[in-house]
Amino acid sequence: MSADGFTAAPPPGAREDWTIDQGWADYTAEEHATWDILYERQAALLPGYACDEFLHGLEALNLHRGGIPNFEEINVELQRLTGWSVVAVPGLVPDEVFFDHLANRRFPAGQFIRKQDQLDYLQEPDIFHDVFGHVPMLTDPTFADYMEAYGKGGQRAAGLGRLHNLARLYWYTVEFGLLETPKGLRIYGAGIVSSRTESIFALDDPSPNRLGFDLVRTMRTPYRIDDFQQVYFVIPGLQALLDATLQDFAPLYAALETADDVPIDAVLATDRVFTTGTQAYAARGGRLATAG
C-alpha cells in the first residue's frame, strides 16, 4: 500500500490509469432526478454569488440537459474550448494518478451520485461535486492552464516531499477559492459552488476570515475537511493565480521546511484583509452542513 493509502494496482474493473466507463445508461430515474434537484437549487442561487467565469462555463456546457450529464457529450464542447476532458474514476485515486490526469488535461470525476437524503452533505466527492463544481471553470482558458500547471507541479512536489503544502494550495483555490471582482467577492471553488449552504456562508456569514491570496501564506495554512472553512483566500484574478503557479516551487518548498504552520484562524500583519471574521461559527463547534 502506498503512502496515500491506496494499493499499487487499480481496483477490479478499472484501467491502468484508474479510469472506468461512466455507465451513463445505467443511471436510474431517481439518480437523474437527484441531479436535477441539486442543479436547480444551485443554479437559482449562484447568480450574484458565483463568478462570471463559472456561470459562463455552466451555460457553455449545458449541464441541465435533463438528468446526469453524459461525459461523452460534455467533452465535445470542453475539448473545443480548452482541450480538457472529463474521465470517470471509481472514487478517489492515488496522488500520482490524479496529478498525471491533470497534467494531461483530463479531470477525474466520480461517476456515482449521492442519495436524496444526502443532498446537504456527502463526505466523498460525487458526480455533482466533480462535474457541476469543477468542470465549468475548466471552460475558462486561464483556469484550464492553472489546473494543468497544478498537475505538473504535483508531480514535482511528490519527489520533494511537499505534497501537504501543495494540497493546501489546491484546497484554498480549486476547492474553496474566492475571486475579487468589480462587483465584489465571488465564489469559484468547487467545494463552495456545489454547496448551497457554503455558497451563502462563504460570502455572507461574518464568521470566517477573508484574506488576500498569497502563495506561501496559503501553503502554510491548514484547512477544515469536515465543515465550513474558517478562512477563505481571495485571488485578484485568474491570471494572477496562474502567474503565481508558473514558477519554480523548489525554493519555496525549501523555505517551508523551516516555516511553522499559520493557525487556521489567524490574521497576520502582512495579510491583505477583506474581512476579519468573528470565528463565531467555529467557536460554537460548527456543524456538518456542506453539500459537496
Side-chain angles (χ1 to χ4, degrees):
M1 183 172 291
S2 63
D4 54 13
F6 290 92
T7 58
R15 304 179 185 94
E16 296 260 335
D17 62 359
W18 288 63
T19 61
I20 58 174
D21 293 331
Q22 182 190 6
W24 187 85
D26 297 329
Y27 290 119
T28 66
E30 181 178 356
E31 289 172 326
H32 284 300
T34 300
W35 173 278
D36 290 339
I37 292 168
L38 290 165
Y39 183 98
E40 291 292 349
R41 71 177 192 175
Q42 282 306 101
L45 171 67
L46 289 179
Y49 281 87
C51 68
D52 288 344
E53 291 85 350
F54 179 87
L55 296 174
H56 293 161
L58 201 61
E59 182 177 352
L61 295 175
N62 189 18
L63 295 181
H64 195 217
R65 308 177 193 210
I68 297 170
N70 187 321
F71 291 176
E72 291 182 1
E73 293 178 357
I74 63 175
N75 279 344
V76 172
E77 187 65 10
L78 191 56
Q79 278 277 330
R80 184 186 71 80
L81 289 169
T82 59
W84 275 77
S85 60
V86 184
V87 294
V89 292
L92 298 175
V93 299
D95 291 332
E96 66 272 16
V97 173
F98 181 69
F99 294 137
D100 182 69
H101 281 305
L102 295 188
N104 289 282
R105 295 197 170 226
R106 299 185 299 265
F107 187 80
Q111 46 87 255
F112 77 97
I113 193 163
R114 68 195 70 182
K115 304 296 184 182
Q116 290 196 11
D117 61 358
Q118 299 172 309
L119 294 181
D120 286 324
Y121 180 74
L122 189 70
Q123 185 171 2
E124 184 179 0
D126 70 342
I127 193 171
F128 187 77
H129 170 272
D130 284 343
V131 175
F132 182 95
H134 282 282
V135 178
M137 288 299 294
L138 292 175
T139 66
D140 181 87
T142 304
F143 193 79
D145 288 349
Y146 171 69
M147 289 292 281
E148 179 187 355
Y150 184 89
K152 292 176 178 176
Q155 293 171 326
R156 293 191 294 271
L160 296 172
R162 307 309 301 181
L163 279 183
H164 67 287
N165 295 118
L166 198 68
R168 293 170 178 179
L169 176 62
Y170 188 90
W171 188 266
Y172 281 122
T173 60
V174 179
E175 291 288 356
F176 291 95
L178 302 182
L179 175 67
E180 183 180 8
T181 81
K183 301 175 184 177
L185 300 187
R186 294 292 184 265
I187 59 179
Y188 73 91
I192 313 177
V193 296
S194 63
S195 166
R196 177 178 59 86
T197 48
E198 190 140 9
S199 294
I200 297 169
F201 181 87
L203 290 190
D204 295 345
D205 200 282
S207 185
N209 296 325
R210 300 174 182 90
L211 308 176
F213 171 78
D214 176 84
L215 183 62
V216 173
R217 167 73 158 93
T218 302
M219 291 196 291
R220 291 177 60 197
T221 308
Y223 53 81
R224 300 289 302 270
I225 63 171
D226 59 348
D227 214 325
F228 295 143
Q229 301 304 299
Q230 291 180 248
V231 57
Y232 297 93
F233 289 99
V234 182
I235 61 171
L238 296 179
Q239 187 63 50
L241 179 62
L242 175 61
D243 290 345
T245 310
L246 297 177
Q247 62 174 296
D248 182 5
F249 276 28
L252 302 181
Y253 291 145
L256 286 167
E257 287 184 5
T258 57
D260 293 332
D261 283 350
V262 176
I264 195 170
D265 60 349
V267 177
L268 306 181
T270 52
D271 287 332
R272 182 187 178 199
V273 180
F274 290 86
T275 304
T276 300
T278 65
Q279 297 297 320
Y281 175 84
R284 294 194 305 267
R287 60 186 175 83
L288 213 56
T290 58

